[in-house]
Amino acid sequence: MSLFSNSDLTCNDFLGGRVRLWQPRSGYRAGVDPVLLAASVPATRGHTVLELGCGAGAAILCLLARVPGVSGVGVELQAPYADLARRNAVENDAALEVVEADLNALPAGLKQRRFDYVIANPPYYRAGAHSPANDQGRSVALGEGTPLDVWFEVAAKRLAPRGYLHMIQKADRLPDMLAGCAGRLGSVEVLPLAARNGRAAELVILRARKGGRAAFQLHAPLILHAGDRHEKDGENYTTQVSAALRHAGAITGFFNQ
């Protein structure tokens, strides 16, 4: 696939303008999910982060913008998106290295490295479980090509001892996520993300630790929107979610630190 031209792209603000992200005008476009994933990671100065399937870089660039002194590596299968991630890293002055590679065939050099955190926003739909998108990039981003279990296998291998994986996924994939942790990662915690009070969670953020031994924890949901229903035009995010999306705030008070 050829790389994007400027006419194929838009430049969008994330974190209230702290991150400026070039992304396809039509194709896979980052929403709030990667920003919330980044906000859930309690990294501090000096930590290293690997993102599996980084796309144009939304999640890892938001994390690097929120926490000064963190360095990152992004792995991306699709050449046009890897190219965008490199461009976005440069234009945001971020310490991000982008590697174009398949998770099943990481470069030898990367296989020798270990990271304090691995983050991932894998495709939400099992192979064949959704209608293919017209755009190839969006189709690859949404439809599972590499089994979810492989994402956990690769993440566990790349984590340093006592390092953490943070992954966002659809809630109905939680059994698959827990199976992926089995025998590889422990101290599993799950944060459901619910649109409103009283609604079932549609997404979850899973956190697991390499070598962790703590009991499984299912946390109270993070509520995204205020009120029981949408009553007027405009955003109505809850205070903590708005702070994470617009002001580079961290999601705190849920995961054990």
Side-chain angles (χ1 to χ4, degrees):
M1 182 190 296
S2 61
L3 301 185
F4 296 111
S5 66
N6 280 345
S7 63
D8 297 326
L9 304 173
T10 64
C11 190
N12 304 102
D13 286 350
F14 287 76
L15 304 184
R18 292 169 178 83
V19 173
R20 298 272 289 164
L21 193 80
W22 289 98
Q23 53 183 344
R25 188 179 303 277
S26 60
Y28 177 75
R29 293 174 61 82
V32 302
D33 301 0
V35 185
L36 294 175
L37 173 64
S40 76
V41 180
T44 59
R45 182 179 291 275
H47 280 154
T48 55
V49 181
L50 170 68
E51 181 174 11
L52 303 178
C54 69
I60 196 162
L61 288 173
C62 284
L63 176 55
L64 298 184
R66 178 171 64 83
V67 188
V70 171
S71 60
V73 175
V75 175
E76 173 53 39
L77 172 65
Q78 301 185 80
Y81 287 87
D83 187 64
L84 273 185
R86 294 187 188 99
R87 176 178 180 176
N88 287 326
V90 170
E91 295 197 12
N92 286 280
D93 194 25
L96 175 63
E97 172 190 351
V98 179
V99 177
E100 181 188 331
D102 190 315
L103 295 188
N104 293 292
L106 294 181
L110 187 54
K111 288 183 177 181
Q112 303 304 313
R113 300 167 67 177
R114 299 292 183 271
F115 298 84
D116 299 299
Y117 291 93
V118 173
I119 64 174
N121 181 184
Y124 284 162
Y125 300 99
R126 295 179 180 89
H130 75 111
S131 298
N134 292 329
D135 177 85
Q136 182 181 346
R138 180 175 173 80
S139 184
V140 171
L142 293 178
E144 185 175 84
T146 299
L148 192 57
D149 188 69
V150 173
W151 292 72
F152 281 92
E153 178 184 11
V154 174
K157 288 179 178 179
R158 300 281 66 76
L159 279 170
R162 312 298 289 173
Y164 286 98
L165 166 68
H166 283 237
M167 178 184 288
I168 190 167
Q169 251 292 352
K170 285 174 61 68
D172 64 7
R173 303 298 306 273
L174 181 56
D176 299 327
M177 298 169 79
L178 296 177
C181 290
R184 296 172 177 140
L185 302 167
S187 302
V188 178
E189 303 177 59
V190 174
L191 173 62
L193 306 180
R196 298 183 187 277
N197 277 313
R199 301 276 187 89
E202 296 182 3
L203 298 173
V204 296
I205 297 176
L206 177 143
R207 169 177 161 102
R209 194 172 199 182
K210 188 168 185 175
R213 296 177 178 273
F216 172 79
Q217 286 192 281
L218 178 63
H219 295 282
L222 173 66
I223 306 301
L224 302 187
H225 298 281
D228 295 332
R229 61 183 182 275
H230 185 71
E231 296 182 338
K232 61 182 180 179
D233 292 338
E235 294 181 354
N236 62 342
Y237 290 115
T238 57
T239 300
Q240 187 173 38
V241 170
S242 180
L245 297 179
R246 306 296 177 232
H247 305 292
I251 293 175
T252 59
F254 290 93
F255 293 125
N256 294 323
Q257 301 300 310

